[in-house]
Structures are given as C-alpha cells and as structure tokens.
Amino acid sequence: MLDKSFRARDLVRGGEPVLISERSATRTLKQWDRFAGRVVQVEQRTQISGAVLPYEYETSENLIEGLRSIGNLSRKEKKELAKTLGEDFDAALIANLSETERLRAASSTFTTCWLIDAIDRAEQPETPDLRNTDGDEVLQCTISYPLADGTADGDVRAALDSCADLRPATATRWNWVRREKRAAASAARARPSKSLTIETTRDDGTLVLGGVKLDGRTLVLSVNSLERSERGIELLSTILGERVGQPLVVTETVEQILASRDTDAPRPVDLSEEEQRAIVHDYLDRHYRDTLDQPVPSLGNKSPRAAVKTKSGRAKVADWLKMMENRTAKSDGAMASYSFDWMWTELGIAELRR
C-alpha cells in the first residue's frame, strides 16, 4: 500500500490485483483488509467511486458464498432470501444473470449485510474467546492451601522440590510444567477457529501449566482454567498429603479481570518502545514457530506444515496467514509491527502472498 494508492483483488470474480488510486483509504486500510466499494475506470486510473464499507473476514466470506450459491438455491430458499433482504431483491431473477450482472443487481445487499453486521457488533460487542493450549476456556483459578498445624515450611519446600512436574523458580516459587509433548488431539480439542490461545513457556521452551508459591503459612496454586485447577489440586494433594488443609478455590472470568483492572496503576517496569517491541516479537516468534507444527481448526485440524503439502491446503494456509496478518496489523502497540515474512518463506508459499 502506498500513500496515494493500493492494490486490491476482486474476491468474487477473482483475477489479479489491480492498482487503485485513492488517498483517504490508504490511511485507514491495513494489509488484507476486506471492503465493499464501487471501482471505476477514469481515463488511465482505476478509482473508488463512493464510500468504502470495511468488512470483517467472516462476514465477507458468508456474503461471497451467498452470492456464488444463489443459482443453486431451491425456490423456497430464494423466497426466504428475498424476504430477508427486502422485496426489491429478486433472487430468482438474479440467479439467471451473468456474474457481473448479478453483482450489479445485488449491489444493495453489500450495504445491507454490512449494516446488519455493524449493528450486531455495536449492540453485542464480541469478547475474544480465550483458550489455553489444552483448549480449555480461560478462567483464572487461585487455589489456597493452609499449612497444617505442625507442618514446617521446609517440609513443604522439600516435597515440592522432589516433584518432577514442578520446577523451582525461587526458594518459594515453582513452575508447574508439562514434561511430555502434548498430543495433537489434545492440542486441538475444543478450540474454536475464532479463539485466541494463551500460552506461557519457560526459557527452555517448556510449557508452563501454572504457578505455585509459598506465602507464609499458605500455599497458593494459580492456573488459567477450571480443568487445570482440578488436575493441580490432585497433584498437590498427592505430593503434600496431610501437610496441608482443605483448599479454598477462587475463580475470576476474563470479564471480571478486565473490569477490576486499575488503569491508573504504575507500570512495574519502565521499558522503552524498542524494548517492548523486542519482547513482544520474541514471544510471537516462539509462539508461531510452535503453531506451525500444531493442528489448526480452520485447516481441517492439520498443522500448517502438513497442510501446505497439497494445492488446496496451500491456499487455505495462505488465507489463514492473511487473516492473522490482518488481525495483528489492527492490534495496538508493539504487536501491530510484527512481521510474518518468515512464516510465508518457511512454509514455501511466498508466491501466494498477493
């Protein structure tokens, strides 16, 4: 995208991208954004005539699929479609037109679909579906164990140090880690295609399932899902036995965490923009390198490396990468400048990045 122009592709009819001369949109559009607009030829220049309607990826896919399938609808389905979009929409007539004529006749539906989606999003703001690497819905769980009478701190530390699933971080803190590699079926379980994955790893790449700390006479386990809390309680109960009392479990949803966040709280560490960017980009590098070998729901639960072995799979992986690039570019802060160049190259599909 340039200051005065950008390249765009017709997603309904296909073809090569065309250079569009435009000024205002170049300041707002991000790479792989999807929009509806009227494109016209003015002398030697291709321009946008009228407003540009930005589309969310899922909404645009539904609209494109609907336009392509009009000719295959039953009479009842055509009537239902006409009823939904308005009396002026004649689905039966449109089904018999050429693709270009069909687009011209159905032009009002672009505005209708965009408006319906915009209203729905305004009335019901979408909360990201956050999942951990096991596919569990994120729920912050804090489990507090009182030390039993007569139990010495040293006995608890020794018991925790002896557990292979717990890695000491300090004298009073431990990381609960997964020693074995997670199975593909487990990694993909219950993880919707629209979900965002929360992952924490140690410097050596070991996956962290939770944290354990000894706070005075209380042992605290912190995990990010109800399922992990149950497994963690079982683990600690087995290790410590009668050294601790009955646990107290407190849960907090993502919405509750966001609502209780103190926006005026001082930053614990004052980092420069360059340092923040380096930390975020390093994390994303490690996260996406792991993702390349993990099942992705939108790729038919195949890993990106496995999917690119077929022609159809390569096209799906390209669409998947474009969607991730687009969402990242729209994010705030250091994440927005992250480059996916290396993923296109490593997967061998750089020629599809157009």
Side-chain angles (χ1 to χ4, degrees):
M1 185 179 299
L2 305 175
D3 290 339
K4 297 182 180 180
S5 63
F6 63 93
R7 291 191 178 275
R9 184 197 306 276
D10 187 332
L11 294 176
V12 179
R13 291 174 294 186
E16 292 298 313
V18 296
L19 184 66
I20 296 179
S21 300
E22 216 281 333
R23 292 189 177 184
S24 60
T26 60
R27 301 188 184 98
T28 58
L29 293 176
K30 302 296 184 182
Q31 188 175 29
W32 312 124
D33 268 351
R34 294 186 170 192
F35 67 89
R38 188 183 299 277
V39 177
V40 297
Q41 192 73 27
V42 180
E43 296 181 348
Q44 302 300 318
R45 303 171 67 182
T46 304
Q47 298 179 334
I48 293 177
S49 173
V52 170
L53 302 178
Y55 267 77
E56 293 295 327
Y57 178 85
E58 292 80 7
T59 306
S60 68
E61 283 291 291
N62 292 335
L63 177 58
I64 292 170
E65 180 62 27
L67 290 171
R68 290 173 177 169
S69 62
I70 286 177
N72 298 323
L73 296 178
S74 66
R75 178 176 297 181
K76 181 179 179 181
E77 288 172 330
K78 290 175 182 177
K79 288 183 178 179
E80 288 296 324
L81 180 60
K83 181 179 179 181
T84 300
L85 296 176
E87 296 180 359
D88 294 337
F89 184 89
D90 191 335
L93 174 63
I94 291 176
N96 297 320
L97 300 176
S98 68
E99 195 165 40
T100 300
E101 292 172 329
R102 186 181 303 173
L103 284 174
R104 184 179 297 114
S107 59
S108 62
T109 64
F110 287 87
T111 304
T112 302
C113 291
W114 174 84
L115 184 59
I116 291 173
D117 183 61
I119 292 174
D120 287 343
R121 291 179 182 277
E123 293 180 345
Q124 300 177 347
E126 182 179 356
T127 301
D129 179 30
L130 299 180
R131 304 269 169 168
N132 62 23
T133 51
D134 294 323
D136 306 330
E137 183 178 354
V138 168
L139 179 70
Q140 185 61 39
C141 301
T142 304
I143 302 94
S144 301
Y145 289 87
L147 300 192
D149 294 339
T151 298
D153 297 355
D155 292 339
V156 174
R157 288 198 296 268
L160 296 176
D161 286 339
S162 67
C163 178
D165 291 323
L166 299 176
R167 304 283 176 84
T170 68
T172 58
R173 293 177 180 271
W174 295 259
N175 289 322
W176 176 27
V177 302
R178 172 177 284 139
R179 290 180 291 158
E180 76 283 358
K181 291 184 177 180
R182 59 183 181 273
S186 175
R189 175 179 58 83
R191 192 184 301 172
S193 59
K194 297 181 182 179
S195 66
L196 299 178
T197 303
I198 302 297
E199 179 181 272
T200 303
T201 60
R202 287 164 51 93
D203 291 340
D204 61 2
T206 306
L207 182 67
V208 177
L209 301 178
V212 179
K213 71 175 180 178
L214 188 58
D215 187 7
R217 298 290 296 172
T218 304
L219 185 69
V220 181
L221 167 66
S222 299
V223 294
N224 62 11
S225 77
L226 188 61
E227 291 81 359
R228 284 186 181 176
S229 72
E230 294 171 349
R231 291 159 50 199
I233 290 173
E234 181 180 358
L235 174 66
L236 292 180
S237 297
T238 301
I239 298 170
L240 299 172
E242 296 182 354
R243 297 185 182 92
V244 294
Q246 289 297 314
L248 172 65
V249 181
V250 177
T251 63
E252 194 174 19
T253 65
V254 173
E255 291 78 8
Q256 290 172 328
I257 294 173
L258 293 175
S260 63
R261 177 182 296 172
D262 183 5
T263 56
D264 296 326
R267 292 165 59 92
V269 180
D270 187 15
L271 298 176
S272 67
E273 290 186 9
E274 292 76 10
E275 290 171 324
Q276 293 179 48
R277 184 162 50 248
I279 292 172
V280 172
H281 288 194
D282 178 67
Y283 168 78
L284 291 175
D285 280 341
R286 289 185 283 111
H287 170 69
Y288 285 127
R289 191 163 294 281
D290 179 64
T291 300
L292 294 185
D293 296 302
Q294 299 301 326
V296 175
S298 60
L299 302 180
N301 280 335
K302 293 182 179 179
S303 71
R305 292 192 195 278
V308 294
K309 293 181 179 179
T310 65
K311 183 178 180 180
S312 61
R314 289 164 66 85
K316 289 181 180 179
V317 172
D319 286 340
W320 172 69
L321 278 174
K322 288 178 181 179
M323 184 170 61
M324 289 202 303
E325 276 192 303
N326 180 251
R327 289 178 175 175
T328 301
K330 292 179 178 179
S331 62
D332 297 324
M335 191 173 180
S337 61
Y338 183 72
S339 174
F340 287 79
D341 291 357
W342 69 271
M343 294 181 68
W344 289 90
T345 301
E346 186 157 327
L347 292 171
I349 56 173
E351 76 280 1
L352 299 180
R353 196 183 188 188
R354 56 190 180 86

